[in-house]
């Protein structure tokens, strides 16, 4: 019996993000974004949806070089309690309160209630927002690597590590 390893196609970051935004604008609800840093120090972004997900890894957040990633099929739900990512309208009455937040005139409990109320609204597209304010998020950030929750994701993670290490050997910042 021959053991066949799953090979994941590596995709440029800009192609992944274009596909994600196209799908987001068709159906904005159900997306979640997680950000972390691998043990080797590579920033990563995990975009999860109901039918597909993408894992993107970059060499650095600061060099301007686009990352690479791969697509994962199926529903990968890391934390169902996390509010879906997306754009939400900020009602006019909240705009003044938000401005007061910057001056420290609102206590922490009221800030938390207001943000929770905004995030409970379903995400939408920018064209449908009529108010002068928009909130985007949430993006869940971790100082650690994101957990591997499927074999397919573990294979992609391994392939991205190999590719990132190749990039590291080719890049010289002292040119």
């Amino acid at each position: 019996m021959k053991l066949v390893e799953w090979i994941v196609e590596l995709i440029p970051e800009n192609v992944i993000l274009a596909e994600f935004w196209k799908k987001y604008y068709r159906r904005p609800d159900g997306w979640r974004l997680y950000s972390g840093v691998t043990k080797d120090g590579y920033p990563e972004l995990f975009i999860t949806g109901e039918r597909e997900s993408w894992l993107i890894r970059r060499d650095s957040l600061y060099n301007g070089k686009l990352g690479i990633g791969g697509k994962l099929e199926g529903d990968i739900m890391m934390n169902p309690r996390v509010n879906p990512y997306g754009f939400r309208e900020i009602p006019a009455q909240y705009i003044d309160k938000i401005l007061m937040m910057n001056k420290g005139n609102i206590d922490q409990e009221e800030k938390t209630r207001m943000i929770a109320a905004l995030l409970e609204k379903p995400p939408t597209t920018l064209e449908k927002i009529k108010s002068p304010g928009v909130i985007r998020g949430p993006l869940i950030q971790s100082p650690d690597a994101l957990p591997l929750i499927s074999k397919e994701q573990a294979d992609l993670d391994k392939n991205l590590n190999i590719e990132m290490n190749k990039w590291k050997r080719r890049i010289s910042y002292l040119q």
Side-chain angles (χ1 to χ4, degrees):
M1 183 170 158
K2 189 175 180 182
L3 183 63
V4 179
E5 185 175 323
W6 175 261
I7 297 178
V8 179
E9 176 189 2
L10 297 180
I11 307 166
E13 176 182 358
N14 60 331
V15 173
I16 292 171
L17 292 176
E19 187 174 344
F20 161 67
W21 284 114
K22 184 171 82 174
K23 291 176 186 257
Y24 174 88
Y25 272 86
R26 268 194 237 132
R27 187 164 179 244
D29 201 12
W31 297 100
R32 288 171 174 76
L33 273 66
Y34 304 90
S35 174
V37 179
T38 69
K39 66 178 177 59
D40 294 327
Y42 299 122
E44 58 186 349
L45 178 66
F46 192 40
I47 303 169
T48 66
E50 293 174 0
R51 294 184 185 97
E52 63 214 329
S53 300
W54 297 272
L55 178 62
I56 300 171
R57 189 155 302 151
R58 282 185 161 188
D59 175 49
S60 167
L61 290 177
Y62 308 109
N63 67 7
K65 185 175 182 178
L66 290 176
I68 55 171
K71 185 176 184 176
L72 304 166
E73 298 295 334
D75 182 12
I76 299 175
M77 182 66 71
M78 285 182 52
N79 185 346
R81 295 180 300 160
V82 170
N83 291 80
Y85 172 86
F87 299 106
R88 292 169 176 84
E89 185 170 50
I90 300 175
Q93 70 267 21
Y94 278 37
I95 302 277
D96 291 334
K97 287 184 179 185
I98 290 170
L99 294 173
M100 288 173 40
M101 272 187 205
N102 293 332
K103 297 177 183 174
N105 297 341
I106 295 181
D107 66 20
Q108 188 63 40
E109 190 175 321
E110 187 171 353
K111 288 177 187 177
T112 302
R113 272 195 312 268
M114 190 168 62
I115 291 170
L118 289 172
L119 290 176
E120 284 178 12
K121 295 179 176 188
T124 188
T125 59
L126 289 172
E127 301 85 38
K128 294 180 182 174
I129 294 177
K130 304 297 182 224
S131 78
V134 175
I135 186 173
R136 181 174 75 170
L139 169 62
I140 308 305
Q141 293 190 269
S142 169
D144 302 316
L146 300 173
L148 299 175
I149 55 178
S150 74
K151 171 146 178 28
E152 188 179 12
Q153 185 186 357
D155 290 343
L156 175 57
D157 183 72
K158 180 177 141 188
N159 288 341
L160 288 173
N161 281 338
I162 291 168
E163 193 64 26
M164 289 288 109
N165 288 329
K166 286 180 190 175
W167 284 10
K168 190 186 286 185
R169 287 191 299 270
R170 284 186 289 197
I171 296 173
S172 171
Y173 294 102
L174 302 175
Q175 296 177 351

